[in-house]
Structures are given as C-alpha cells and as structure tokens.
Amino acid sequence: DEPGNLACVVAGTTHVELKWMRPRRIGNESTRDAFQRKREAIAQYEATLLVADDDKAGARLSDPEDAGKLPARECRWMQSEWQDEPDGSVLARIELLRPDTKYVLEGL
C-alpha cells in the first residue's frame, strides 16, 4: 500500500507540517512475516517537492514532459523525523521553504 490522505496541518512562514495515513499493509501479507527474524517496518518516507508557479503548475499536472523544467527537492523522512499518531496517521515537517512560493508534493 501507499500512504494516503495527504493534508497540510500547519503552515508557517518557512515550514509546513504534513499529515498522511500510514499504509495499511507492509511486509509479506501471505506469510505475515512468519519466516523473518524481525517484522518489516517503514524505514523512511520519500517525496519530491516541486516549486510551482501558476504558469508551470498546470502544465506539470497535465504534461509529464514538463517535469524536468520545474525546480525540485527530494524530501526524505527517516524514522526519527516523523511522528506516529494513535489514529494511524503520520506527522512530518518540511522546513526552509520560501513564504512567497507555491509548492507541490509528489510521490509520497
């Protein structure tokens, strides 16, 4: 499964806090990790943060060839960089953002 229901929880001047639902299944569902020493766990989440201006944002969503024309930043959250919530969601933060810029997060 992939994470779902991405939402911006808090937006500050130079950061955002994101919330998404953990994948429901990880590991081998048929064996339920029975033949492994340790259960499988998520080691990190990854996504691409794109800078989107009004002209290119529409083109990015409709035309895959425009992907290389937008500035991008790879985001990675290791286990110590996100917080698991009791409802099964995950909270993570992206920092060093510009307040006058629109962003698009892809590939989480």
Side-chain angles (χ1 to χ4, degrees):
D1 281 357
E2 292 185 12
N5 300 332
L6 178 66
C8 179
V9 179
V10 175
T13 314
T14 61
H15 73 277
V16 293
E17 289 187 16
L18 302 172
K19 182 176 182 176
W20 63 84
M21 294 304 293
R22 291 179 62 94
R24 290 185 192 154
R25 292 176 295 199
I26 59 173
N28 189 325
E29 292 302 311
S30 61
T31 64
R32 302 205 188 284
D33 300 334
F35 305 108
Q36 296 177 206
R37 291 182 185 167
K38 293 183 179 179
R39 291 184 54 121
E40 291 195 26
I42 297 172
Q44 70 181 21
Y45 287 99
E46 296 179 359
T48 302
L49 184 68
L50 299 170
V51 174
D53 61 23
D54 292 335
D55 295 334
K56 292 183 182 175
R60 175 66 181 112
L61 297 176
S62 62
D63 188 358
E65 292 182 16
D66 286 340
K69 298 177 185 174
L70 294 172
R73 177 171 118 188
E74 295 299 318
C75 298
R76 286 189 179 89
W77 297 276
M78 303 306 284
Q79 283 183 334
S80 62
E81 298 173 307
W82 78 72
Q83 181 179 356
D84 287 314
E85 295 292 300
D87 66 354
S89 64
V90 175
L91 288 175
R93 185 177 179 116
I94 300 177
E95 296 182 330
L96 303 174
L97 301 176
R98 293 184 53 172
D100 60 345
T101 305
K102 293 181 182 180
Y103 296 95
V104 177
L105 190 68
E106 291 187 346
L108 180 65

